[in-house]
Amino acid sequence: MTINSLTADTRKQVDAFLQQKLEPLTLNKRLSQAMQHGVLLGGKRIRPYLVMTVADICGANQNDALRAAAAIELIHAYSLIHDDLPAMDNDDLRRGQPTCHIAYDEATAILAGDALQTLAFEILTESSMQDIPADRQLQLVHVLAKASGARGMCAGQAIDLQATAKNLTESALEQMHLSKTGALITAAASMGVLCGSSDTQKWQEKFEQFARYLGLAFQVQDDILDVVGNTEALGKPQGSDAASEKSTYVRLLGIEGAQRRLQNLHNKALQSLGDIPYNTDKLEQFSDLLLKRDH
Amino acid sequence: MTINSLTADTRKQVDAFLQQKLEPLTLNKRLSQAMQHGVLLGGKRIRPYLVMTVADICGANQNDALRAAAAIELIHAYSLIHDDLPAMDNDDLRRGQPTCHIAYDEATAILAGDALQTLAFEILTESSMQDIPADRQLQLVHVLAKASGARGMCAGQAIDLQATAKNLTESALEQMHLSKTGALITAAASMGVLCGSSDTQKWQEKFEQFARYLGLAFQVQDDILDVVGNTEALGKPQGSDAASEKSTYVRLLGIEGAQRRLQNLHNKALQSLGDIPYNTDKLEQFSDLLLKRDH
């Protein structure tokens, strides 16, 4: 079992749902195609898988959870398109394919990212959810927005850009990742709980704690793979962090130090699960496979 | 009375509200400052004024309406920051001030735009509204999202970029403006109604029709001002549309033709108001002043 085979079913469901939302956007064909390029070219669908698995544990209606899962993937997809732009990380390759501004052009890539962000909020509000009261549906939108913006993902990316070629302390590096990728991964867990039944809501903080450690561990593994992985499996050039003088855990702690940190974070994630009085085996399996991935 | 004096009170209220939302975003100072630069440097606040005036006519709670007004202004502000980028319209000057990517840098401007879009949806959902049921609050988010994305504003900007140096027909030009600026101006009217009392909801379509004509007329006047206005009053170089070979009403119809079209759209906007059984004098005054503005 690999992380890709574990998430395969979720990936199919989410991709089918997203395709059905993206295809009718025909007002401008080029913009539409660029949006689809950015969303449907692959990816592990980690955030949707986390939403849907937590939602399942919490007894959610799976149609409601699918909508939340699709929305968070749209936010992730838009952020990748914008991060790849020449003014940001200037990447030509993503998941083994040309990035959006290479396949189309910069202006179209900026707009495609913008419109994918909007679509996330459109999907979350286009009609009532089946088993979720309207005030909880509002919370779903709010959690996603808060995690994505200037208190979360966008701030993390800004910190990352400003940190290039600087030596961050481990605590500053952690703070950066907690916002850059951690906020959205934590939001995935929160959204899963919010989709669930009323009596599961009180475990939200524990699920979030699990996701926070998992998100950090994921990032440490990402930094390790950039050094020890290979370009073909990664779908992007191995060694690109070092080449662009990014602050990374490997740069700060060395390979072995980074591997110890990864193990430590993984243990903390599993401990958070231990506090939850439901069967969380699927989340344990998910974190095992995610943190042992080779790309 | 000018449009700027008419909207002065709304401007103060909305700016104070936005300032209070923007100042606590301290996770990354540079990003925060760029966001504030993009939002608080001025502007007529036409969309907030329209939300609040329609909301007032429909008996809305003014605190609820202020939140909706601030959210739509954030979407407008983000779109300006992104439209000004080198890959898009490449403008150095906006409202007489350096554009966001000139005052900061391109990467920060992209992120500031992204985070302002997110903040719009965060503000609309951060707590219950005072007099609006949760399902109607969800509709507010939905209307704003739908108008902003690939069915609205973003599609319009994509069409505009692709239309440069081409001769559009009048109907294609109208279609472009209906999405590029019309969708958001129409959403302002819809959001005003959604903030109002239950029995005013049935007039939503009429208010939207007014806003649709007003939005188109506003665009025609914009095209006229680019030819007959002066750089100082406009806060941007006069003649910039012609210089960048933009499709405009003046290019298509000549100055006199564009002025006739403006009058015709203005009349249609006023006729739409005539069907609404409330006192709409303020909207009439608003459209009069808006369409006679010199910048």
Side-chain angles (χ1 to χ4, degrees), chain B residues 168-171 173-174 220 223-224 248-262 265:
Chain B
L168 294 186
T169 62
E170 186 174 355
S171 117
L173 186 63
E174 186 171 297
V220 177
D223 288 353
I224 293 172
T248 70
Y249 281 97
V250 174
R251 196 169 168 217
L252 196 71
L253 306 173
I255 282 280
E256 283 182 17
Q259 277 161 341
R260 274 195 302 274
R261 187 86 183 95
L262 171 66
L265 288 164

Side-chain angles (χ1 to χ4, degrees), chain B residues 46-146:
Chain B
I46 289 169
R47 292 155 196 79
Y49 186 81
L50 186 53
V51 172
M52 296 199 65
T53 306
V54 171
D56 191 42
I57 292 171
C58 294
N61 175 308
Q62 289 292 297
N63 288 329
D64 292 343
L66 182 57
R67 248 212 272 174
I72 203 167
E73 187 63 20
L74 287 171
I75 295 287
H76 177 57
Y78 114 70
S79 78
L80 296 184
I81 293 177
H82 282 188
D83 286 3
D84 286 337
L85 285 167
M88 303 263 245
D89 296 350
N90 194 21
D91 282 320
D92 294 353
L93 211 58
R94 159 85 62 188
R95 297 167 180 164
Q97 303 280 345
T99 48
C100 193
H101 65 276
I102 297 290
Y104 294 85
D105 57 80
E106 246 184 277
T108 304
I110 294 169
L111 286 170
D114 290 345
L116 287 171
Q117 173 172 190
T118 322
L119 188 60
F121 297 109
E122 195 181 330
I123 282 181
L124 271 185
T125 55
E126 67 192 341
S127 61
S128 297
M129 290 190 152
Q130 295 177 348
D131 288 346
I132 300 178
D135 58 342
R136 192 111 61 72
Q137 196 175 343
L138 282 168
Q139 282 181 54
L140 274 174
V141 179
H142 191 65
V143 161
L144 185 58
K146 198 168 168 190

Side-chain angles (χ1 to χ4, degrees), chain B residues 64 115 157 179:
Chain B
D64 292 343
Q157 175 68 359
S179 41

